Amino acid sequence: MAQINPYIHFNGNAEEAFTFYKSVFGGDFAMVIRFKDLPNSEHPIPESEAEKIMHIALPIGETDLLMASDTPEFMGKHNENETRSKISISADSKEEADQLFNGLSVGGTIEVPISDSPWGSYFGMLRDKYGIEWMVDYDSKYSGNP
């Protein structure tokens, strides 16, 4: 079956953000490639961008990857507050949902506090300190837990 892995872009702070995500989710980076690691004689990378992230991947759970890169300056900056896409996380328990929600919300903005929802799941929404929006959900009907 096909797999969906979120890919997000940052304005030069992808490494900082992914170090933060690693502290929340655990694990080790599956891949880290910097712009300097890819020689390109047609489009030389300015020294100011050499250490920035061209690609980074953090495994989450058994099969998922959270991936990202920095947007090179020549492509312009993007407004981090205009992206209304959210990354949805399905936790295995209320405890895990709380841990992930509380970890991701450090320095961010809670949009919907995590709690029992009217539709029967345990749910919350937030924007983290990097402007990325998350939905955290636990639903025992879908996880196989009582």
Side-chain angles (χ1 to χ4, degrees), residues 43-109:
H43 303 285
I45 300 296
E47 194 64 33
S48 63
E49 300 212 290
E51 292 295 325
K52 290 182 181 175
I53 299 297
M54 187 283 217
H55 179 75
I56 191 166
L58 178 64
I60 304 207
E62 300 271 329
T63 60
D64 300 319
L65 287 172
L66 180 61
M67 298 182 286
S69 68
D70 284 315
T71 301
E73 290 175 14
F74 75 86
M75 295 179 77
K77 292 207 178 275
H78 50 276
N79 184 333
E80 295 160 351
N81 291 322
E82 289 182 1
T83 304
R84 293 303 300 177
S85 299
K86 294 189 182 333
I87 299 173
S88 178
I89 305 168
S90 297
D92 287 332
S93 67
K94 275 189 170 184
E95 294 77 20
E96 182 183 44
D98 283 334
Q99 175 191 353
L100 295 172
F101 188 87
N102 293 335
L104 289 167
S105 66
V106 172
T109 304

Coordinates of all heavy atoms in Angstrom, one line a residue, residues 43-109:
H43 N 24.6 25.6 -10.4 CA 24.0 26.6 -9.5 C 24.8 26.4 -8.2 O 24.4 25.7 -7.2 CB 22.6 26.2 -9.2 CG 21.7 26.3 -10.4 ND1 21.3 27.4 -11.0 CD2 21.2 25.3 -11.1 CE1 20.6 27.2 -12.1 NE2 20.5 25.8 -12.2
P44 N 26.0 27.1 -8.1 CA 26.8 27.0 -6.9 C 26.0 27.5 -5.6 O 25.2 28.5 -5.7 CB 28.0 27.9 -7.1 CG 27.7 28.6 -8.4 CD 26.5 28.0 -9.1
I45 N 26.2 26.9 -4.5 CA 25.5 27.2 -3.3 C 26.3 28.3 -2.6 O 27.5 28.1 -2.4 CB 25.4 26.0 -2.4 CG1 24.6 24.9 -3.0 CG2 24.8 26.3 -1.0 CD1 23.2 25.2 -3.3
P46 N 25.7 29.4 -2.2 CA 26.4 30.5 -1.5 C 26.9 29.9 -0.1 O 26.3 29.1 0.5 CB 25.4 31.6 -1.3 CG 24.2 31.2 -2.2 CD 24.3 29.8 -2.5
E47 N 28.0 30.4 0.3 CA 28.6 30.0 1.6 C 27.6 30.1 2.7 O 27.5 29.3 3.6 CB 29.9 30.8 1.9 CG 30.7 30.2 3.0 CD 31.3 28.9 2.7 OE1 31.6 28.6 1.5 OE2 31.4 28.1 3.6
S48 N 26.7 31.2 2.6 CA 25.8 31.4 3.7 C 24.7 30.3 3.8 O 24.0 30.2 4.8 CB 25.1 32.8 3.5 OG 24.4 32.8 2.3
E49 N 24.6 29.5 2.8 CA 23.6 28.5 2.7 C 24.2 27.1 2.8 O 23.4 26.1 2.8 CB 22.7 28.6 1.5 CG 22.0 29.9 1.5 CD 20.7 29.8 0.8 OE1 20.6 29.7 -0.4 OE2 19.7 29.9 1.5
A50 N 25.5 26.9 2.8 CA 26.1 25.6 2.7 C 25.7 24.7 3.8 O 25.5 23.5 3.6 CB 27.6 25.8 2.7
E51 N 25.5 25.2 5.0 CA 25.2 24.3 6.2 C 23.7 24.1 6.3 O 23.3 23.3 7.1 CB 25.8 24.9 7.5 CG 27.3 24.9 7.5 CD 27.9 23.5 7.6 OE1 27.3 22.6 8.2 OE2 29.0 23.4 7.0
K52 N 22.9 24.8 5.5 CA 21.4 24.6 5.7 C 21.0 23.2 5.2 O 21.8 22.5 4.4 CB 20.7 25.7 4.9 CG 20.9 27.0 5.6 CD 20.1 28.1 4.9 CE 20.2 29.4 5.5 NZ 19.6 30.5 4.8
I53 N 19.8 22.8 5.6 CA 19.4 21.4 5.3 C 18.7 21.4 3.9 O 17.8 22.1 3.6 CB 18.4 21.0 6.4 CG1 19.0 21.0 7.8 CG2 17.8 19.6 6.0 CD1 20.1 20.0 7.9
M54 N 19.3 20.5 3.1 CA 18.7 20.2 1.8 C 17.6 19.1 1.9 O 16.6 19.1 1.3 CB 19.8 19.7 0.8 CG 19.3 19.6 -0.6 SD 18.4 18.1 -0.7 CE 18.8 17.4 -2.3
H55 N 17.9 18.1 2.8 CA 16.9 17.1 3.1 C 17.2 16.5 4.5 O 18.3 16.2 4.8 CB 17.0 16.0 2.1 CG 16.0 14.8 2.3 ND1 14.7 15.0 2.1 CD2 16.2 13.6 2.8 CE1 14.1 13.8 2.4 NE2 15.0 13.0 2.9
I56 N 16.1 16.3 5.3 CA 16.3 15.6 6.6 C 15.0 14.7 6.8 O 13.9 15.1 6.3 CB 16.4 16.7 7.7 CG1 16.8 16.0 9.0 CG2 15.1 17.5 7.9 CD1 17.2 17.0 10.1
A57 N 15.2 13.6 7.4 CA 14.1 12.6 7.6 C 14.2 12.1 9.0 O 15.3 11.6 9.5 CB 14.2 11.5 6.6
L58 N 13.1 12.1 9.7 CA 13.0 11.5 11.1 C 11.9 10.5 11.1 O 10.7 10.7 10.8 CB 12.6 12.6 12.1 CG 12.4 12.2 13.5 CD1 13.7 11.7 14.1 CD2 11.9 13.4 14.4
P59 N 12.3 9.2 11.3 CA 11.3 8.1 11.4 C 10.4 8.4 12.6 O 10.8 8.8 13.7 CB 12.1 6.9 11.6 CG 13.5 7.2 11.1 CD 13.6 8.6 11.4
I60 N 9.1 8.2 12.4 CA 8.1 8.3 13.4 C 7.2 7.0 13.4 O 6.6 6.7 12.4 CB 7.2 9.5 13.2 CG1 8.1 10.7 13.2 CG2 6.1 9.6 14.3 CD1 7.6 12.0 13.6
G61 N 7.2 6.3 14.5 CA 6.5 5.0 14.5 C 7.2 4.0 13.7 O 8.4 4.1 13.3
E62 N 6.5 3.0 13.3 CA 7.1 1.8 12.5 C 7.4 2.1 11.1 O 8.3 1.6 10.5 CB 6.1 0.7 12.6 CG 5.8 0.2 14.0 CD 6.8 -0.9 14.5 OE1 7.2 -1.7 13.6 OE2 7.0 -0.9 15.7
T63 N 6.5 2.9 10.4 CA 6.6 3.1 9.0 C 6.6 4.5 8.4 O 6.8 4.7 7.2 CB 5.5 2.3 8.3 OG1 4.2 2.9 8.7 CG2 5.5 0.8 8.6
D64 N 6.4 5.5 9.3 CA 6.3 6.8 8.8 C 7.5 7.7 8.9 O 8.4 7.4 9.8 CB 5.2 7.6 9.6 CG 3.8 6.9 9.5 OD1 3.5 6.4 8.4 OD2 3.1 6.7 10.5
L65 N 7.7 8.6 8.1 CA 8.8 9.6 8.1 C 8.3 11.0 8.1 O 7.3 11.3 7.3 CB 9.7 9.4 6.9 CG 10.6 8.2 6.8 CD1 11.2 8.1 5.4 CD2 11.6 8.2 7.8
L66 N 8.8 11.8 8.9 CA 8.6 13.3 8.8 C 9.8 13.8 8.1 O 11.0 13.6 8.6 CB 8.4 13.9 10.2 CG 8.2 15.4 10.3 CD1 6.9 15.8 9.6 CD2 8.1 15.8 11.7
M67 N 9.6 14.6 7.0 CA 10.8 15.0 6.2 C 10.7 16.5 6.0 O 9.6 17.1 6.1 CB 10.8 14.3 4.9 CG 11.0 12.8 5.0 SD 11.0 11.9 3.4 CE 9.3 12.0 2.9
A68 N 11.8 17.1 5.7 CA 11.9 18.6 5.5 C 13.1 19.0 4.8 O 14.1 18.3 4.6 CB 11.8 19.3 6.9
S69 N 13.1 20.3 4.5 CA 14.3 21.0 3.9 C 14.2 22.5 4.2 O 13.1 23.0 4.6 CB 14.4 20.8 2.4 OG 13.4 21.5 1.7
D70 N 15.3 23.2 4.1 CA 15.3 24.6 4.2 C 15.0 25.1 2.8 O 15.4 24.5 1.8 CB 16.6 25.2 4.6 CG 16.8 25.0 6.1 OD1 15.9 25.3 6.9 OD2 17.9 24.6 6.5
T71 N 14.2 26.2 2.7 CA 14.0 26.9 1.4 C 15.2 27.8 1.1 O 15.5 28.7 1.8 CB 12.7 27.7 1.4 OG1 11.6 26.9 1.7 CG2 12.5 28.4 0.1
P72 N 15.9 27.5 0.0 CA 17.1 28.3 -0.4 C 16.6 29.8 -0.6 O 15.5 30.1 -1.0 CB 17.6 27.8 -1.7 CG 17.0 26.4 -1.8 CD 15.7 26.4 -1.0
E73 N 17.5 30.7 -0.2 CA 17.2 32.1 -0.2 C 16.8 32.6 -1.6 O 15.9 33.5 -1.7 CB 18.3 33.0 0.3 CG 18.5 32.8 1.8 CD 19.7 33.5 2.4 OE1 20.3 34.4 1.7 OE2 20.0 33.2 3.6
F74 N 17.4 32.0 -2.7 CA 17.1 32.5 -4.0 C 15.6 32.2 -4.4 O 15.1 32.8 -5.3 CB 18.1 31.9 -5.0 CG 17.9 30.5 -5.4 CD1 17.0 30.1 -6.4 CD2 18.6 29.5 -4.7 CE1 16.8 28.8 -6.7 CE2 18.4 28.2 -5.0 CZ 17.5 27.8 -6.0
M75 N 15.0 31.3 -3.7 CA 13.6 30.9 -3.9 C 12.6 31.8 -3.1 O 11.4 31.7 -3.3 CB 13.3 29.5 -3.6 CG 14.1 28.5 -4.5 SD 13.8 26.8 -4.1 CE 12.1 26.6 -4.8
G76 N 13.2 32.7 -2.3 CA 12.4 33.6 -1.5 C 11.9 33.0 -0.2 O 12.0 31.7 0.0
K77 N 11.4 33.8 0.7 CA 10.9 33.3 2.0 C 9.4 33.0 1.9 O 8.7 33.7 1.1 CB 11.1 34.3 3.1 CG 12.6 34.5 3.4 CD 12.7 35.0 4.9 CE 14.2 35.1 5.2 NZ 14.8 33.9 5.7
H78 N 8.9 32.1 2.7 CA 7.5 31.9 2.7 C 6.9 32.3 4.1 O 7.6 32.2 5.0 CB 7.1 30.4 2.4 CG 7.9 29.4 3.1 ND1 9.1 28.9 2.8 CD2 7.6 28.7 4.3 CE1 9.5 28.1 3.7 NE2 8.6 27.9 4.6
N79 N 5.7 32.7 4.1 CA 5.1 33.1 5.3 C 4.6 31.9 6.1 O 3.7 31.2 5.7 CB 3.9 34.1 5.0 CG 3.2 34.6 6.2 OD1 3.3 34.0 7.3 ND2 2.6 35.8 6.1
E80 N 5.2 31.7 7.2 CA 5.0 30.5 8.0 C 3.6 30.5 8.6 O 3.1 29.5 9.0 CB 6.0 30.3 9.1 CG 7.4 30.0 8.4 CD 8.5 30.3 9.4 OE1 8.3 30.9 10.4 OE2 9.7 30.0 9.0
N81 N 2.9 31.6 8.7 CA 1.6 31.7 9.3 C 0.5 31.6 8.3 O -0.7 31.6 8.7 CB 1.5 33.0 10.1 CG 2.3 33.0 11.4 OD1 2.5 32.0 12.0 ND2 2.9 34.2 11.7
E82 N 0.8 31.4 7.1 CA -0.3 31.3 6.1 C -0.6 29.8 5.7 O -1.5 29.6 5.1 CB 0.1 32.1 4.8 CG 0.0 33.6 5.0 CD 0.3 34.4 3.8 OE1 0.6 33.7 2.7 OE2 0.3 35.6 3.8
T83 N 0.3 28.9 6.1 CA 0.1 27.5 5.8 C -1.0 27.0 6.7 O -0.7 26.9 7.9 CB 1.4 26.7 5.9 OG1 2.4 27.4 5.1 CG2 1.2 25.3 5.5
R84 N -2.1 26.6 6.2 CA -3.1 26.0 7.0 C -3.2 24.5 7.0 O -4.2 23.9 7.4 CB -4.5 26.6 6.7 CG -4.6 28.1 7.0 CD -4.3 28.5 8.4 NE -5.3 27.9 9.3 CZ -5.2 28.0 10.6 NH1 -4.2 28.7 11.2 NH2 -6.1 27.4 11.4
S85 N -2.2 23.9 6.4 CA -2.2 22.4 6.4 C -1.8 22.0 7.8 O -1.0 22.7 8.5 CB -1.2 21.9 5.4 OG -1.5 22.3 4.1
K86 N -2.2 20.8 8.2 CA -1.9 20.3 9.5 C -1.3 18.9 9.4 O -1.7 18.1 8.5 CB -3.1 20.2 10.4 CG -3.7 21.6 10.8 CD -4.7 21.5 11.8 CE -5.4 22.7 12.2 NZ -4.7 24.0 12.1
I87 N -0.4 18.5 10.3 CA 0.1 17.2 10.4 C -0.7 16.5 11.4 O -0.7 17.0 12.6 CB 1.6 17.1 10.7 CG1 2.4 17.8 9.6 CG2 2.1 15.7 10.9 CD1 3.9 18.0 9.8
S88 N -1.3 15.4 11.1 CA -2.2 14.7 12.0 C -1.4 13.4 12.6 O -0.9 12.7 11.8 CB -3.4 14.2 11.3 OG -4.3 13.5 12.2
I89 N -1.4 13.3 13.9 CA -0.8 12.2 14.6 C -1.8 11.4 15.3 O -2.6 11.9 16.1 CB 0.2 12.7 15.7 CG1 1.3 13.6 15.1 CG2 0.9 11.5 16.3 CD1 2.1 14.3 16.1
S90 N -1.8 10.1 15.0 CA -2.7 9.2 15.7 C -1.9 8.4 16.8 O -1.1 7.6 16.5 CB -3.4 8.2 14.8 OG -4.1 8.8 13.8
A91 N -2.2 8.7 18.1 CA -1.4 8.1 19.2 C -2.0 6.8 19.5 O -3.2 6.4 19.2 CB -1.5 9.1 20.4
D92 N -1.2 6.0 20.2 CA -1.6 4.6 20.7 C -2.3 4.6 22.0 O -2.9 3.6 22.4 CB -0.4 3.7 20.7 CG 0.1 3.3 19.3 OD1 -0.7 3.3 18.4 OD2 1.3 3.0 19.2
S93 N -2.3 5.8 22.7 CA -2.9 5.9 24.0 C -3.1 7.3 24.4 O -2.5 8.2 23.8 CB -2.0 5.2 25.1 OG -0.8 6.0 25.3
K94 N -4.0 7.6 25.4 CA -4.1 8.9 25.9 C -2.8 9.5 26.4 O -2.5 10.7 26.2 CB -5.2 9.0 27.0 CG -6.6 9.1 26.5 CD -7.6 9.4 27.6 CE -8.9 9.7 27.1 NZ -9.9 10.1 28.2
E95 N -2.1 8.6 27.1 CA -0.8 9.1 27.7 C 0.2 9.5 26.6 O 0.8 10.5 26.7 CB -0.2 7.9 28.5 CG -0.9 7.6 29.8 CD -2.2 6.7 29.5 OE1 -2.3 6.1 28.4 OE2 -3.1 6.7 30.4
E96 N 0.2 8.7 25.5 CA 1.1 9.1 24.4 C 0.6 10.4 23.7 O 1.4 11.3 23.4 CB 1.2 8.0 23.3 CG 2.2 8.4 22.2 CD 2.2 7.3 21.1 OE1 1.2 6.8 20.7 OE2 3.4 7.0 20.7
A97 N -0.7 10.5 23.6 CA -1.3 11.7 23.0 C -0.9 13.0 23.8 O -0.5 14.0 23.3 CB -2.8 11.6 22.9
D98 N -1.0 12.8 25.2 CA -0.6 13.9 26.0 C 0.8 14.3 25.9 O 1.2 15.4 25.8 CB -1.0 13.6 27.5 CG -2.4 13.7 27.9 OD1 -3.1 14.5 27.2 OD2 -2.9 13.0 28.8
Q99 N 1.7 13.3 25.9 CA 3.1 13.5 25.8 C 3.5 14.2 24.5 O 4.2 15.2 24.5 CB 3.9 12.1 25.8 CG 5.3 12.2 25.6 CD 6.0 10.9 25.4 OE1 5.4 9.8 25.5 NE2 7.3 10.9 25.1
L100 N 2.9 13.8 23.4 CA 3.2 14.4 22.1 C 2.6 15.8 22.0 O 3.3 16.7 21.6 CB 2.6 13.5 20.9 CG 3.3 12.2 20.8 CD1 2.5 11.3 19.7 CD2 4.7 12.3 20.4
F101 N 1.4 16.0 22.5 CA 0.7 17.3 22.4 C 1.5 18.3 23.3 O 1.8 19.4 22.9 CB -0.7 17.2 22.9 CG -1.5 18.4 22.7 CD1 -2.1 18.7 21.5 CD2 -1.6 19.4 23.8 CE1 -2.9 19.9 21.4 CE2 -2.3 20.5 23.6 CZ -3.0 20.8 22.4
N102 N 1.8 17.9 24.5 CA 2.6 18.7 25.4 C 4.0 19.1 24.9 O 4.4 20.2 25.1 CB 2.6 18.1 26.8 CG 1.2 18.1 27.5 OD1 0.4 18.9 27.2 ND2 1.1 17.1 28.4
G103 N 4.6 18.1 24.4 CA 6.0 18.3 23.8 C 6.0 19.2 22.6 O 6.8 20.2 22.6
L104 N 5.1 19.0 21.7 CA 5.0 19.9 20.5 C 4.5 21.3 20.8 O 4.9 22.2 20.1 CB 4.1 19.3 19.5 CG 4.6 18.0 18.8 CD1 3.5 17.3 18.0 CD2 5.8 18.4 17.9
S105 N 3.8 21.5 21.9 CA 3.2 22.8 22.2 C 4.2 23.7 22.9 O 3.9 24.9 23.1 CB 1.9 22.7 23.0 OG 2.1 22.1 24.2
V106 N 5.3 23.2 23.4 CA 6.3 24.0 24.1 C 6.7 25.2 23.2 O 7.2 25.0 22.1 CB 7.5 23.2 24.5 CG1 8.6 24.1 25.0 CG2 7.2 22.1 25.5
G107 N 6.5 26.4 23.6 CA 6.8 27.6 22.8 C 5.9 27.9 21.7 O 6.1 28.9 21.0
G108 N 4.8 27.1 21.6 CA 3.9 27.3 20.5 C 2.6 27.9 21.0 O 2.5 28.4 22.1
T109 N 1.5 27.7 20.2 CA 0.2 28.2 20.5 C -0.8 27.0 20.4 O -0.9 26.4 19.4 CB -0.3 29.3 19.5 OG1 0.7 30.3 19.5 CG2 -1.6 29.8 19.9

